[in-house]
Amino acid sequence: MTRVLSGLPAAARDLLSETDWASHRHAYGSGEDIPVSLCSLVDEDPEVRSEALAALDMSVLHQGSLYTVTAPAALFVAAILDHPMGLAEHEGHFPWDDGPPRSLRAALLGWLGQVAESAAYGEDPARDRAHWEWQPWHEDTPDERDADELAALQACRDIRPALYDAVEPFLSSTDPHVCETALGAAIPLLFAQDLADRIPRAATLLRARLGTMTGRRERAAVARALSLWGMDTSDLLADTDPAVRVCAALGPVRVDRPRALAVLLDALRDAGTTDGWFPEPLCGVDGWFRFTVLRSALDLAASFEEVAPVAIALVAAGNGSVVDNECGPILFRAFPGGYDSAHSLTSAQRALLRAFVGTDEATGSIRGNWLWFRAARLPEDRAGIAALL
């Protein structure tokens, strides 16, 4: 431990000594055991490092939940990003971590990105609604977080400037994995309103690198970042790579909305190919990629009629295993204010409900989406929907 401590940056040593770790909590109790795990991150033994990373995932950020120990732990991680041990590689600790060995630096940047995503959730309802996992009934759920949970959330939001300052240098890394995970952390960090003034600098840096990038994954990740930050990506909507074009259309597009929507809809017409673009999901993108593309298209459309042909085709395809992530959001977009019996169904709404009725017996497309039907103020069974037609 003495050897490890002597090799730590001063900022990391100060955090260890000045933080009252016992007063903090993680998923399994007191945070007094966390300093050992943090120091173990730079141990020479790869298995020890792997176990320490597992402790970050399981205790400090358990399933995306923030705890009072998360903020000081994240500051420590940020302080050791340039530690020489960051170049060392190791395998995952858990059986499901079956990917190739990764460098410690890339793993730590990825973890900081998860902290930033958890901290950003709930700040911008419009952005949350565009996320592929958003569900309308969650907004009606009372916020029952206790004082410690709220304090943990605020603490993680307060440290975002320090985290971003530590992450930004690695946006220029020559290691593609480090660069990608740094970008994955920078995206949610720069969602913070008090960091909005950093976006132009980050965008300029990424634009400069874009001209030297040749790989699909690298270029698509940059296009996605620029788009999510609200930058003008109209030039990338004409890129020769369809994956780059789609990523450039994922954010709150301010320029060339019709072309951006057309790019997204083209990708949804061949969803199987779209899902195959990134066998390993981009940082910050979980689930099948088409889920993210669909939510962005539904959010970008000025009316359901703009997306109706493609959306109805997705429902009619009857992919019953993912109904909640495709059919539900489509239904909710078709009835944004809820069904009103005082108004006749539009032709697009009628066609959509026919597709649900036509596939329900085989796929359970109505039964599997009953919460979405309820949110749209529609009957929750096949007979009730058929009666409307």
Side-chain angles (χ1 to χ4, degrees):
M1 183 61 70
T2 300
R3 175 181 51 78
V4 169
L5 288 172
S6 65
L8 291 176
R13 290 199 303 271
D14 291 344
L15 272 166
L16 287 176
S17 62
E18 296 174 4
T19 301
D20 182 5
W21 297 98
S23 69
H24 292 294
R25 307 286 294 178
H26 55 65
Y28 300 105
S30 170
E32 59 187 343
D33 59 335
I34 295 303
V36 173
S37 294
L38 295 177
C39 289
S40 298
L41 289 170
V42 293
D43 194 279
E44 292 182 353
D45 187 334
E47 291 189 6
V48 173
R49 293 196 304 273
S50 181
E51 291 177 2
L53 281 169
L56 290 183
D57 288 335
M58 295 298 292
S59 299
V60 182
L61 189 68
H62 181 66
Q63 297 182 348
S65 297
L66 302 174
Y67 303 90
T68 56
V69 80
T70 308
L75 287 172
F76 180 94
V77 168
I80 64 169
L81 285 175
D82 59 356
H83 191 282
M85 193 57 70
L87 299 174
E89 292 189 341
H90 56 273
E91 297 180 353
H93 176 71
F94 300 109
W96 54 84
D97 292 335
D98 56 356
R102 54 182 175 170
S103 72
L104 173 67
R105 184 166 296 145
L108 294 179
L109 285 165
W111 185 79
L112 288 177
Q114 294 172 28
V115 172
E117 288 176 3
S118 293
Y121 188 78
E123 278 186 313
D124 184 345
R127 184 175 65 236
D128 291 341
R129 283 194 290 270
H131 190 275
W132 73 273
E133 289 184 303
W134 178 83
Q135 296 169 323
W137 49 91
H138 286 170
E139 292 193 343
D140 298 328
T141 303
D143 189 343
E144 298 179 347
R145 287 177 291 191
D146 60 27
D148 280 350
E149 291 172 318
L150 293 173
L153 173 61
Q154 190 58 53
C156 287
R157 289 177 175 176
D158 289 343
I159 65 171
R160 287 182 292 192
L163 298 185
Y164 181 75
D165 287 342
V167 166
E168 187 187 64
F170 298 100
L171 294 176
S172 302
S173 174
T174 56
D175 182 329
H177 298 294
V178 169
C179 184
E180 180 182 345
T181 50
L183 183 55
I187 289 174
L189 285 171
L190 292 185
F191 286 157
Q193 289 191 357
D194 58 345
L195 290 177
D197 60 338
R198 313 278 188 98
I199 291 177
R201 170 185 163 87
T204 299
L205 189 157
L206 293 177
R207 281 284 190 178
R209 292 209 61 195
L210 191 59
T212 67
M213 294 177 173
T214 58
R216 160 176 283 178
R217 186 179 184 87
E218 296 172 295
R219 299 182 69 249
V222 169
R224 175 176 173 264
L226 296 172
S227 181
L228 292 179
W229 290 333
M231 306 302 290
D232 180 2
T233 57
S234 55
D235 61 317
L236 296 175
L237 294 175
D239 196 88
T240 56
D241 190 324
V244 174
R245 294 198 299 268
V246 167
C247 284
L250 290 179
V253 178
R254 299 177 181 177
V255 179
D256 211 349
R257 187 195 69 85
R259 186 159 58 133
L261 180 59
V263 165
L264 296 174
L265 294 178
D266 280 344
L268 292 171
R269 289 187 180 96
D270 188 4
T273 297
T274 299
D275 280 336
W277 286 339
F278 308 110
E280 178 70 21
L282 295 175
C283 290
V285 180
D286 299 317
W288 292 108
F289 189 54
R290 69 178 184 274
F291 297 162
T292 293
V293 177
L294 174 62
R295 290 295 182 104
S296 295
L298 296 175
D299 183 62
L300 189 58
S303 67
F304 178 67
E305 281 67 21
E306 280 194 307
V307 297
V310 171
I312 293 169
L314 287 172
V315 174
N319 193 343
S321 63
V322 292
V323 288
D324 194 49
N325 294 313
E326 290 182 309
C327 296
I330 289 170
L331 179 78
F332 196 71
R333 183 64 184 86
F335 295 88
Y339 170 67
D340 184 353
S341 59
H343 296 87
S344 300
L345 295 172
T346 67
S347 58
Q349 289 172 334
R350 191 175 296 275
L352 175 64
L353 293 182
R354 285 200 188 100
F356 272 107
V357 170
T359 59
D360 185 59
E361 288 189 355
T363 67
S365 60
I366 296 176
R367 296 190 303 276
N369 285 284
W370 68 273
L371 283 172
W372 288 96
F373 277 86
R374 175 177 294 180
R377 301 176 188 171
L378 285 160
E380 300 167 23
D381 57 83
R382 187 173 186 274
I385 295 298
L388 298 180
L389 301 172

